[in-house]
Amino acid sequence: MTSQVDQSEAVDGPDGEGPAASARSGPGRPAKPIRRLDRVIIRFAGDSGDGMQLTGDRFTSETAAFGNDLSTLPNFPAEIRAPAGTLPGVSSFQLHFADHDILTPGDAPDVLVAMNPAALKANLPDLPAGAEIIVNTDEFTKRALAKVGYAASPLEDGSLEAFRLHPVPLTALTLEALKDSGLARKDAERAKNMFALGLLSWMYHRPTHGTELFLRQKFAKKPQIAEANVTAFRAGWNFGETTEDFAVSYEVPPAKLAPGTYRNISGNLALSYGLVAAGERSGLPVFLGSYPITPASDILHELSRHKNFGVRTFQAEDEIAGIGAALGAAFGGALGVTTTSGPGVALKSETIGLAVSLELPLVIVDIQRGGPSTGLPTKTEQADLLQAMFGRNGEAPVPIVAPATPAECFTAALDAARIALTYRTPVFLLSDGYLANGSEPWKLPEVDELPDLRVEFATEPNGPDGAFRPYQRDPHTLARPWAVPGTPGLEHRIGGIEKQDGTGNISYDPANHDFMVRTRQAKVDNIVVPDVEVDDPSGEARVLVLGWGSTYGPITAAVRRVRADGGRVAQAHLRHLNPFPANLGAVLERYEKVIVPEMNLGQLALLLRAEYLVDAQSYNQVRGLPFKAAQLADVLHAALGSLDAEETR
Amino acid sequence: MTDFPALRLVPKADGPQSAKDFKTDQEVRWCPGCGDYAILAAVQSFMPELGIRRENTVFVSGIGCSSRFPYYMNTYGMHSIHGRAPAIATGLAASRPDLSVWVVTGDGDALSIGGNHLIHALRRNVNLKILLFNNRIYGLTKGQYSPTSEVGKITKSTPMGSLDAPFNPLSLALGAEATFVARTIDSDRQHLQSVLRAAARHEGTALVEIYQNCNIFNDGAFEILKEPGTRDEALIRLEHGQPVLVGADRHVVRGADGELRIAPRSEGTAIVHDAHAAGPSTAFALTRLADADTLHHTPIGVLRDVDRPVYDALMAEQLTRAEQQQGRGDLAALLAGSSTWTVDA
Ligand SMILES: Cc1ncc(C[n+]2csc(CCOP(=O)(O)OP(=O)(O)O)c2C)c(N)n1
Ligand code: SF4
Ligand SMILES: [Mg+2]
């Protein structure tokens, strides 16, 4: 998902055909041939208690350390421990890695690791013919099969003939490897995910040092468990090396990313770091007021660990108090932040309106999840756009920033802080569950090249005869002065009641209210945001695909496919949804067809139609999952086809 | 001048101040005769006693007649939204230990819509002084019953009488782990200021309930506590270290069952009020002596004033400790984390 590589050069191979392979044997391991691949999609699936997220995370870290480009998609149940062995209890982690720049976690896995029958059944529909399946045969007992409605074992009834099946008694092999560990059977069995990880690490030549280090650190207080996990991990590796069932191993060479130092990072971590960085670059203490909610809680957890940056975190009694405390801190001169998901935004609405009226800086982070109501807490969606845009009483405009990839959450947080501080306004930062938990390589920025966010507090009276006028605006930005308590001579009172222009005194005057409403709107409308860039290599495209937020990966991958087939399609992606980039209207006018894929029922399309009178055509999906590149490629092909058809009529 | 340990970190005023310094040029908009005027005057003339800089004082309010208060105080101020003042003030106080932060709220504001924030502020013990103007009615919305109105109250929204039992705000506060709980009355400036003094001295959250007359929608609600003919019998004036007396010839005793009750002076010995008692049970029992309907036997004064670590100080201490243990944060090191790789040109 890194954008450093010229997008026209790298094309995701078509799905459904398995990885492109070229056989060669590797040096030092003459026994088995090594095949070179340009990309692989692996999905680890098991019971939510099987440690699949950890396994996926470790494989990801090994892959990042190896230097592949990568993109991940964790997918887990909302229940902490759904009943064991059931379909709702299946937790999975998909990883796509390649020797080139990639954009999505991949449409369909080349390899599925299924730890039990439920994991097989739940994930089989996503597998293309020819995919490899590694199953833990020990879990394919009569009872376990019956639990998910298998009358006969799919391992034996021929129903998996289209796939390359590797039956492996993972549990038994793990127990055998740990028979001298002194661990009780139950504890030893738990290490079977590390056995699987070892096997996959062998298959794909992943570096193992990091995982061993990780296990020893994670279980530092339980050295016996640490050793058992390392032993199982190594046993899995050796099993691959020696067993005949695995005849080849694969090599995916490092990607040629732009020069620099990289790390792997998830969206929520990048967003947290962006907030810490915003505090450092503004010189203001960060104050986070938050109430736990999936998938935003990670940011509260992460920021709580950085008190040595002067970051204060406050776990409030509810979302209203979370944002209230952040706004109170902002009144006192802090960089106020509140983090939540859609249901929390609903509760915060009234306070966001107050922040609009007080004209104080505030960053409101919404990690969108499936809605309405509690909806799908652990799944992704983009259906809070209109809530962010309009979900308040009165005319209460709020700028909206939306990152496109996990790593971009870092710059988006800095940008949201920039807008909040420069214009003295609450700002929405709209991420989603897919960005939050997904990860990709991130080229580390130079810290002193990050934007300078320093602000000047008001220190002197600005009105006639030494009075302070809290609503006397900067003529360019329309921002009002930020005078923090403790500043002598600038004592003032502000509130949610309409204020007189300039003085800030309560005013019910009709003309003043009209003026203030329009001025607050103008302030947001005039926020400087970069122009939207259009990618149209041929310069002759007649169809534009326009997205926002996390659909960037699948849209871009789809565009590459269409272009590889000779289709001409232009692509643009919005990072600012309020205000829209100044050139957006002109861009939209240039194309005969504008396609807007969204994980909602057409919220951006509605805004575009209203704002630009453009016939934006929605393509929508609300399945709690990101789009697939193939699916969007079909949509774009169809759009191109319909233009051609119109022509010949 | 009194010493105010809770204001240790707040910069001192350069010279003496007067009540006039705390008045703004804004026209006061309460109904003529409203109890809020008396409270405002009492607070304005009390503030100079604190000896702190005016610019380091902040009044935060919610919504209601009472919540107009900050507009009339020449300090920093925020008139926020209904019920949320304690939450907003918590963020301000927790991030600015150099400020003296006051919350002004009403019975509806604090106990209906903002009930959650009130109890959590109290249990956290943030350095806030909360002034709850209790007029037992919704004033600003023109006279609906409130969570402190007596059962059967006839109002516009309850033409046949209200059905729900009221809160006793002080019982509630004590149950919410409050470290400072007091009650006073709008018309008794001397008593009001003595309670404000004790609240200002207290480190942590102080809840001061102020009985306030709404002469438009609930006139005379506290008359029994004010009328020279009835007040001595109706009020129980609490003084730390003094026996708890009721009127001329009764006092509060602890019965054989452990409960407090009011008895003739000839019976038993009066309990001695201990505002600093470790446990809240006696203070709670005192709040229960009042009749919820008639307010007969209403204790006023400081019911509870105990020491407990203050949230904002603890928060600041964690920040200091984190920096001592890990060193001041290094952004480049944070961003890089523990595993990076390099791509060469
Ligand atoms: C969210 C919201 N709901 C309702 C109101 C209407 N409202 C304003 S003040 C108030 C009650 C005020 O009663 P109280 O807190 O006792 O204050 P008083 O006016 O009596 O001083 C209500 C219901 C509002 N401003 N905001
Ligand atoms: S309505 Fe009642 S509380 Fe409100 S200002 Fe008038 S008298 Fe005071
Ligand atoms: Mg009231």
Side-chain angles (χ1 to χ4, degrees), chain A residues 269-510:
Chain A
L269 189 58
L271 203 155
S272 308
Y273 286 177
L275 294 171
V276 175
E280 293 292 287
R281 298 297 290 171
S282 62
L284 302 177
V286 173
F287 185 99
L288 172 71
S290 188
Y291 188 77
I293 184 169
T294 304
S297 304
D298 293 340
I299 305 171
L300 168 61
H301 305 162
E302 185 61 34
L303 287 179
S304 307
R305 300 174 54 217
H306 302 301
K307 295 183 175 29
N308 61 332
F309 284 87
V311 174
R312 286 181 160 80
T313 55
F314 172 66
Q315 182 177 317
E317 57 271 22
D318 59 25
E319 277 85 353
I320 302 173
I323 187 174
L327 185 61
F331 183 63
L335 175 57
V337 180
T338 190
T339 51
T340 190
S341 187
V345 174
L347 286 171
K348 292 174 196 291
S349 301
E350 192 193 10
T351 313
I352 299 172
L354 176 64
V356 167
S357 181
L358 295 182
E359 303 193 44
L360 283 171
L362 186 66
V363 175
I364 303 146
V365 178
D366 176 4
I367 313 293
Q368 300 165 93
R369 63 189 217 181
S373 188
T374 307
L376 301 175
T378 60
K379 311 290 178 195
T380 197
E381 206 161 282
Q382 297 183 296
D384 293 351
L385 175 57
L386 294 183
Q387 177 175 229
M389 191 74 191
F390 298 122
R392 291 164 293 284
N393 60 304
E395 297 288 355
V398 177
I400 304 173
V401 177
T405 75
E408 218 181 270
C409 290
F410 179 79
T411 39
L414 280 161
D415 199 33
R418 168 191 69 91
I419 294 173
L421 294 170
T422 310
Y423 297 92
R424 316 277 149 82
T425 175
V427 176
F428 261 107
L429 177 48
L430 281 188
S431 174
D432 65 31
Y434 170 47
L435 294 178
N437 294 317
S439 65
E440 64 175 342
W442 177 43
K443 187 173 163 221
L444 295 178
E446 290 296 333
V447 163
D448 14 305
E449 287 166 21
L450 295 174
D452 182 352
L453 300 179
R454 277 174 297 180
V455 287
E456 278 180 36
F457 292 135
T459 51
E460 300 290 333
N462 57 355
D465 36 287
F468 176 61
R469 295 161 64 100
Y471 280 78
Q472 184 157 304
R473 296 166 190 281
D474 177 291
H476 299 292
T477 58
L478 297 181
R480 71 175 195 87
W482 191 4
V484 302
T487 318
L490 306 193
E491 294 84 355
H492 64 282
R493 279 67 52 192
I494 53 178
I497 298 188
E498 187 60 281
K499 289 153 290 283
Q500 188 181 45
D501 178 39
T503 66
N505 292 333
I506 291 181
S507 167
Y508 299 107
D509 177 61

Side-chain angles (χ1 to χ4, degrees), chain B residues 99-291:
Chain B
L99 301 179
S100 168
V101 183
W102 298 71
V103 169
V104 175
T105 180
D107 42 325
D109 197 59
L111 300 167
S112 276
I113 193 163
N116 199 26
H117 307 309
L118 180 73
I119 57 175
H120 287 278
L122 293 172
R123 83 174 162 86
R124 279 192 194 103
N125 206 31
V126 188
N127 203 353
L128 294 178
K129 312 302 153 207
I130 303 177
L131 310 182
L132 194 171
F133 294 20
N134 182 5
N135 54 14
R136 307 190 80 182
I137 200 83
Y138 286 1
L140 191 68
T141 45
K142 303 196 173 172
Q144 301 82 3
Y145 79 110
S146 92
T148 56
S149 298
E150 60 279 16
V151 175
K153 182 117 188 140
I154 308 270
T155 71
K156 280 183 208 147
S157 62
T158 51
M160 292 175 71
S162 63
L163 304 173
D164 30 346
F167 271 135
N168 179 323
L170 299 194
S171 307
L172 179 77
L174 290 164
E177 309 291 348
T179 52
F180 183 99
V181 174
R183 177 184 285 137
T184 184
I185 302 178
D186 55 5
S187 54
D188 186 346
R189 176 181 296 204
Q190 206 193 342
H191 189 266
L192 203 163
Q193 291 188 334
S194 75
V195 166
L196 292 180
R197 198 169 294 123
R201 208 177 287 143
H202 176 73
E203 295 186 75
T205 311
L207 179 77
V208 179
E209 181 187 23
I210 307 174
Y211 281 158
Q212 172 245 324
N213 192 40
C214 168
N215 54 310
I216 302 296
F217 296 112
N218 201 19
D219 196 23
F222 308 103
E223 218 39 39
I224 183 179
L225 308 176
K226 298 180 176 183
E227 270 292 311
T230 53
R231 69 182 174 204
D232 290 341
E233 289 300 315
L235 280 178
I236 303 176
R237 291 176 174 275
L238 298 175
E239 301 266 0
H240 176 70
Q242 298 298 317
V244 182
L245 308 178
V246 185
D249 44 19
R250 292 179 303 156
H251 58 189
V252 175
V253 298
R254 193 178 293 282
D257 57 359
E259 301 282 342
L260 297 189
R261 68 188 164 78
I262 294 164
R265 294 265 170 98
S266 54
E267 268 178 41
T269 26
I271 61 162
V272 173
H273 180 50
D274 180 7
H276 310 312
S281 353
T282 304
F284 185 84
L286 284 168
T287 67
R288 307 312 291 175
L289 291 176
D291 182 307

